[in-house]
Amino acid sequence: MSSSSFRNRHRDSSPAGAPGRKRSQFTYRHFNQMASYNTSCPLRVVAHLDLDCFYAQVEMVRLGIPEDKPLAVQQWERQGLIAVNYPARAFKIGRHCTVTEARRLCPELIAQHVATWREGDDKWAYREDAAEHIATDKVSLDPYRLESRRIMRVIKEHLPGGGLQKVEKASIDEVFLDLTAHVHQVMLERYGEELGGPPPYGDVSEELPMPAVTALDWKADALVDLGEGDRQEGEFDDPDWDDVALLVASEIVRNVRGVIREKLGYSCSAGVSRNKLLSKLGSAHKKPNQQTVIRNRAVGHFLSGFKFTKIRNLGGKLGEQVADAFKTEAVSDLLTVPIEQLRQKLGDENGVWIYETLRGIDTSEVNSGTQIKSMLSAKSFRPDITTVEQATKWLRIFAADIFARLVEEGVLEHKRRPKTINLHHRHGNQTRSRSGPIPARLLNEESLFELAKNLFHQITLEGDTWPCSNLSLSVAGFEEGVSGNMGIDSFLVKGDEARVLKSSESARTSSSKEALDTSTRQQPAAKRRRIDGAGGGIQRFLTTKREPSQDTRTTAPEDDLVRRNSGEAKLGTSKTYVASGMGWPGEPLPEEAQADSRRSPITPHACSRCDANLGGPEELQSHLDWHFAKDLQEEEEERVSQAFANRQASTAVNNARAGSQKGAAAASSASASGSNKSTGRSKKKPERGQSKLNFG
Ligand code: TTP
Ligand code: CA
Ligand code: CA
């Protein structure tokens, strides 16, 4: 039910027991639902926090730079800036500016270069001369990832534990908080008299009494106003429990922002409303260091001012389709279009989804369990590299980079581990890759390096290795909770293999289907979920419990950011184009993989791999993740499954059990040789038991 129809339903009801006295629009049941995070609960409260000029703030805090000094974060010499603080923005400096342009606008600008890995080194560092070393350096986002984690930790420590906390990291500098259960508890404490008792006649569908308060103190919050047109319900109506819930939530959010500021020195902005869609729009509404509350009664007015292309999931092709069909981009214009017409022109699912979105309805969940599903470390070479020695130096950096992130992910505590390692190699228009399993006991930096070298060796055996313009190493197939003993886990190779095998099989079904329908990539969640569900594949590779419908992002943010800034899009691309014999089109930025984010600041939301024009960084990330996952899966399909199938039939499992470096080398070479297309493909039926495994 839309909030406005909900709101008006009970306006003048005079229920039994309180003749003549106005009751709340909300029932005891609605209030109870708050405790269980029911996503259609009309008293739901969700917040979105977004750090102000994040990378810039990290550099300012790290370097102790006063807040009023203009600062920008730079990447290489001639590229756009990647973050600009607010004092610098006052000089009209933006992401589109190069350092030179920015200095022209503001001579006292502090331009801080991002940290880099350098060829031959095994640690990233801030270097004075990084800007001129595009050929030998690779951007490291570790400093920002680490701060992002500290922020998450502070938030989680501050909020009450138990079932009262639901925090989703939505990108490197964003979180969603579902505060409903927490707010429920505070409301019970504060308004126990009105809310704590049993409902009249024990009937939870009875309406609650109105709150005793008649004016709420919103402190310094930016309160979205109600607009002239809203006569049905305005400022003069007494606050109801949804307003009280938002007020309590905004207090909590103000406190959370306060501790982040106090403990870590960072400011952020926030949106507080009834769902993710609205609170995300809210956090961007007033920046920096402010919070915007969108009360239910203000939703209509708030949204009507937007172009719908600014709304999550409507920035891409679907948005274009809608704009084309109705010759407008304004939310207000579409509000008069009946749902039947939307369904007719856009299809049932899209029509309904858009109808609801335009009205601020979004029941997607805040997911606390989102975790990284793959990690990638890459470098495009300018000039190309030409020797094994050079390649080896980069493989060492990649292994160190990935392993450091794995440690952050808790791999040493056996919380999670990746099961496969992939190496991509690009020579001219040709990209080749090899992958292999990572035996659990070999999950350390040195072994990852050895595995990577081994994969590289497999590639070089085919010839045509030099010059090489891009190398990238990735790990994927993360698995949860290896409990306690890695030794034991490493014997479970068969299960692992079964999974990869199974996922490759399901990918086959889904990828062909999706390849035909590129538009599904931009579709609202419900639709994509169904497609993914049908094929089973992509989703499994990328996500844990996250539902795409709720947020188009599919992996944890750090990883995304690295991808965004390390040319991941290109890596996958190569494969696609090679396969279709198309070379390497659309390469306006030849040093792309430097992509090291050159691409994002310039055309932040355009996909480099297809025509999609995404609505925002998250959508773009999600979209790139999708490409990446698809590529990985296709690769699994092409190569790994064959290798695994072969291995099943052979004694390779025993080799793996034998442990030792030798075992690992054997495993990855088995995979690599299996990936040689000339061996042909004879897919083995999964063994009994394998087919019973459930790969959500
Ligand atoms: P954003 O939250 O989009 O921007 P921001 O935090 O710099 O500024 P705002 O105050 O407007 O929120 O991105 C977060 C960080 O991600 C940003 O500090 C740098 C990085 N980033 C890129 O590297 N490339 C990009 O194209 C974008 C959009 C962000
Ligand atoms: Ca931000
Ligand atoms: Ca952000």
Side-chain angles (χ1 to χ4, degrees), residues 50-57 73 75 81-86 89 95 141 144 171-174 267 269 280 283-284 287-288 561 564-565 596-605 616-618 620-621:
D50 182 291
L51 272 289
D52 300 321
C53 54
F54 184 49
Y55 291 8
Q57 278 204 86
V73 180
Q75 184 171 273
L81 301 166
I82 58 175
V84 178
N85 76 358
Y86 282 80
R89 290 186 203 188
R95 280 208 178 93
L141 299 180
Y144 314 124
S171 85
I172 199 163
D173 79 332
E174 290 166 40
S267 76
S269 300
K280 164 100 182 155
S283 67
K287 265 185 161 277
L561 255 287
R564 170 150 40 132
N565 287 347
D596 291 326
S597 116
R598 155 174 320 196
R599 190 170 297 269
S600 28
I602 297 169
T603 47
H605 310 137
E618 275 111 322
L620 179 58
Q621 279 174 231

Side-chain angles (χ1 to χ4, degrees), residues 518-543:
T518 50
S519 65
T520 57
R521 298 165 197 184
Q522 311 305 320
Q523 307 267 336
K527 181 147 191 171
R528 282 193 304 160
R529 191 166 56 236
R530 225 187 39 192
I531 291 168
D532 290 346
I538 301 287
Q539 209 53 17
R540 186 204 153 260
F541 226 77
L542 278 179
T543 65

Side-chain angles (χ1 to χ4, degrees), residues 12-24 28 200-201 206-210:
D12 300 312
S13 69
S14 300
R21 196 168 169 249
K22 212 152 126 189
R23 304 286 293 190
S24 166
Y28 286 83
Y201 322 115
E206 281 287 332
E207 288 119 11
L208 293 161
M210 284 294 272

Side-chain angles (χ1 to χ4, degrees), residues 59-206:
E59 298 304 342
M60 289 165 78
V61 168
R62 182 178 70 86
L63 300 167
I65 292 170
E67 289 195 2
D68 59 347
K69 295 268 179 272
L71 174 144
V73 180
Q74 176 196 355
Q75 184 171 273
W76 314 131
E77 197 54 61
R78 295 185 306 274
Q79 296 189 8
L81 301 166
I82 58 175
V84 178
N85 76 358
Y86 282 80
R89 290 186 203 188
F91 290 89
K92 301 215 162 17
I93 297 173
R95 280 208 178 93
H96 53 276
C97 295
T98 62
V99 182
T100 320
E101 288 160 0
R103 285 234 166 82
R104 211 174 293 135
L105 292 166
C106 170
E108 66 270 32
L109 177 79
I110 303 166
Q112 173 60 44
H113 199 282
V114 292
T116 58
W117 297 85
R118 181 159 292 177
E119 188 178 349
D121 281 2
D122 57 2
K123 267 182 64 197
W124 58 263
Y126 282 97
R127 305 169 207 269
E128 297 269 315
D129 59 351
E132 305 95 63
H133 282 74
I134 189 164
T136 54
D137 287 14
K138 165 180 159 47
V139 163
S140 168
L141 299 180
D142 266 14
Y144 314 124
R145 279 203 295 269
L146 293 171
E147 290 306 293
S148 178
R149 280 174 185 276
R150 291 178 72 208
I151 294 166
M152 275 299 273
R153 216 170 297 139
V154 164
I155 294 173
K156 287 183 169 174
E157 279 167 9
H158 173 75
L159 293 172
L164 297 183
Q165 187 179 119
K166 223 174 201 226
V167 183
E168 172 182 329
K169 192 167 174 178
S171 85
I172 199 163
D173 79 332
E174 290 166 40
V175 292
F176 282 108
L177 311 176
D178 190 328
L179 296 168
T180 317
H182 185 181
V183 167
H184 177 258
Q185 198 200 35
V186 175
M187 283 170 76
L188 267 182
E189 284 162 13
R190 269 188 215 170
Y191 309 98
E193 213 168 292
E194 293 124 294
L195 301 173
Y201 322 115
D203 180 359
V204 289
S205 62
E206 281 287 332

Side-chain angles (χ1 to χ4, degrees), residues 378-508:
K379 174 75 184 172
S380 278
F381 306 112
R382 297 293 182 267
D384 292 349
I385 57 166
T386 50
T387 66
V388 175
E389 216 178 18
Q390 281 176 300
T392 308
K393 281 183 186 166
W394 283 104
L395 294 180
R396 171 158 293 289
I397 288 181
F398 298 161
D401 180 19
I402 288 177
F403 189 68
R405 285 149 59 194
L406 286 172
V407 169
E408 276 290 308
E409 268 293 286
V411 88
L412 294 181
E413 295 87 51
H414 307 188
K415 282 190 198 143
R416 315 183 67 224
R417 73 173 186 92
K419 299 269 174 140
T420 53
I421 180 165
N422 306 272
L423 182 73
H424 296 251
H425 167 277
R426 186 171 152 211
H427 162 75
N429 277 341
Q430 185 188 32
T431 295
R432 279 171 295 164
S433 40
R434 288 292 180 275
S435 39
I438 310 172
R441 81 178 69 74
L442 297 184
L443 206 45
N444 57 60
E445 185 178 326
E446 201 50 40
S447 300
L448 286 180
F449 176 48
E450 291 300 324
L451 288 169
K453 276 196 298 189
N454 192 283
L455 296 175
F456 183 73
H457 180 65
Q458 297 301 318
I459 290 173
T460 58
L461 288 182
E462 286 186 0
D464 281 345
T465 315
W466 313 112
C468 166
S469 57
N470 181 295
L471 271 180
S472 86
L473 188 69
S474 60
V475 294
F478 274 81
E479 190 148 275
E480 291 306 313
V482 179
S483 56
N485 187 338
M486 273 201 168
I488 287 176
D489 179 67
S490 64
F491 286 97
L492 304 177
V493 180
K494 210 163 169 184
D496 305 341
E497 291 167 352
R499 277 163 207 248
V500 176
L501 186 59
K502 175 87 177 183
S503 82
S504 312
E505 282 181 342
S506 39
R508 185 165 301 118

